[in-house]
């Protein structure tokens, strides 16, 4: 059973999400602020965390960063803040999705399902390109035996590129596949993450090739 943590200082929001989550067969836990969310994440295993940004005591951005330092758990931001910079900053922190208020509870349930299924997909895959090793099950990357630190979203992006290696992928397709259900981003979202991924891949950075007028492809 999928177990989720709902973090929001608004009781009504938590109640709505909980009703739909339980109807979808999910087990629910709650927290009313970022500090409580961190404590619960330390002591429990969740398949997904729904996290508001603007909360008392500790905001969602800070809570997200600290939770990601503890566990690699999928996080969906649920916020009234619709600015593009807030979304990009959230993805840089490693969130798996970003949903703006007001929101459709049914759509949120669909996003939870997609995020959780993505984590289970291809769990036995392991790609080896010379000294570049990508372990999908452990979500680890190694170069020359040294572990490379990637954010969850950078890892998702790399896996998608490798799974579709030697295929030119346009930015819209990458957005749809990596950021899931109709994420309303723009080319900057993909380009920014490609830039960070290349930086972290060091001498393998050139494996991510820019396809002029289209997007990107992974090739050795």
């Amino acid at each position: 059973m999928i177990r989720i943590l709902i973090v929001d200082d608004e009781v009504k929001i938590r109640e709505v999400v909980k009703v739909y989550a339980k109807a979808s067969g999910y087990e629910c836990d709650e927290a009313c602020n970022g500090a409580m969310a961190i404590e619960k994440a330390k002591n429990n295993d969740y398949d997904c965390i729904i996290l508001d940004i603007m909360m008392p005591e500790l905001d969602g951005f800070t809570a997200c960063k600290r939770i990601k330092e503890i566990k690699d758990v999928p996080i969906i931001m649920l916020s009234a803040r619709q600015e593009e910079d807030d979304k990009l900053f959230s993805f840089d922190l490693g969130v798996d999705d970003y949903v703006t208020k007001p929101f459709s509870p049914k759509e949120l349930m669909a996003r939870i399902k997609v995020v959780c299924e993505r984590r289970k997909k291809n769990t036995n895959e392991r790609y080896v390109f010379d000294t570049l090793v990508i372990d999908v099950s452990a979500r680890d990357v190694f170069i020359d035996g040294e572990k490379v630190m990637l954010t969850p979203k950078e890892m998702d992006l790399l896996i998608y590129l490798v799974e579709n290696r030697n295929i030119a992928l346009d930015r819209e397709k990458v957005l749809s596949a990596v950021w899931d259900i109709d994420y309303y981003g723009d080319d900057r979202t993909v380009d920014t993450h490609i830039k960070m991924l290349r930086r972290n891949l060091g001498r393998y950075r050139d494996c991510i090739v820019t396809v002029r007028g289209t997007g990107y492809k992974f090739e050795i």
Side-chain angles (χ1 to χ4, degrees):
M1 178 183 290
I2 292 176
R3 188 181 186 194
I4 66 173
L5 174 63
I6 307 163
V7 188
D8 200 301
D9 60 319
E10 295 184 49
V11 177
K12 289 184 178 179
I13 294 292
R14 297 202 307 272
E15 287 298 320
V16 169
V17 175
K18 186 166 63 175
V19 167
Y20 278 83
K22 288 187 174 181
S24 299
Y26 304 154
E27 183 180 332
C28 302
D29 200 356
E30 299 178 56
C32 61
N33 58 61
M36 186 182 295
I38 294 170
E39 191 62 28
K40 284 183 174 289
K42 283 181 181 178
N43 300 315
N44 300 275
D45 291 324
Y46 298 106
D47 296 291
C48 186
I49 296 177
I50 312 302
L51 184 62
D52 186 27
I53 292 179
M54 295 181 288
M55 294 184 293
E57 293 190 38
L58 202 66
D59 66 272
F61 288 141
T62 305
C64 175
K65 183 178 179 180
R66 294 186 185 176
I67 290 171
K68 287 293 186 180
E69 291 172 351
I70 301 168
K71 293 180 179 178
D72 182 21
V73 56
I75 293 178
I76 298 177
M77 283 295 194
L78 183 62
S79 175
R81 297 171 66 159
Q82 302 185 24
E83 291 78 5
E84 186 72 18
D85 287 343
D86 286 329
K87 294 180 181 180
L88 290 173
F89 183 64
S90 295
F91 287 125
D92 287 342
L93 288 175
V95 305
D96 293 73
D97 206 345
Y98 192 107
V99 177
T100 56
K101 300 176 182 178
F103 63 96
S104 162
K106 289 184 178 180
E107 181 181 334
L108 177 60
M109 296 305 111
R111 289 177 182 267
I112 293 172
K113 181 179 179 181
V114 169
V115 165
C116 292
E117 287 182 345
R118 187 206 301 138
R119 286 300 179 100
K120 296 177 182 178
K121 183 182 177 183
N122 297 325
T123 54
N124 297 319
E125 290 286 356
R126 190 169 185 264
Y127 300 97
V128 179
F129 306 100
D130 193 18
T131 63
L132 171 63
V133 178
I134 303 166
D135 190 331
V136 178
S137 60
R139 291 181 66 82
D140 286 331
V141 176
F142 298 90
I143 295 178
D144 299 324
E146 296 291 328
K147 187 173 180 179
V148 179
M149 301 306 296
L150 300 180
T151 67
K153 191 56 65 177
E154 288 170 10
M155 189 69 195
D156 291 337
L157 178 57
L158 178 59
I159 291 172
Y160 180 69
L161 291 172
V162 171
E163 287 176 342
N164 295 276
R165 55 193 176 280
N166 301 319
I167 299 174
L169 304 165
D170 62 56
R171 292 174 176 83
E172 184 176 346
K173 182 177 291 186
V174 175
L175 271 175
S176 177
V178 179
W179 278 265
D180 299 321
I181 310 167
D182 299 326
Y183 167 67
Y184 296 105
D186 57 24
D187 291 351
R188 287 194 306 150
T189 304
V190 177
D191 294 342
T192 298
H193 282 79
I194 288 289
K195 181 179 179 180
M196 293 188 297
L197 183 56
R198 280 174 169 164
R199 180 190 62 201
N200 289 324
L201 289 179
R203 64 190 180 87
Y204 285 96
R205 60 179 289 114
D206 293 336
C207 291
I208 301 177
V209 179
T210 299
V211 181
R212 190 178 298 275
T214 303
Y216 302 94
K217 68 176 177 179
F218 185 94
E219 67 178 17
I220 296 292

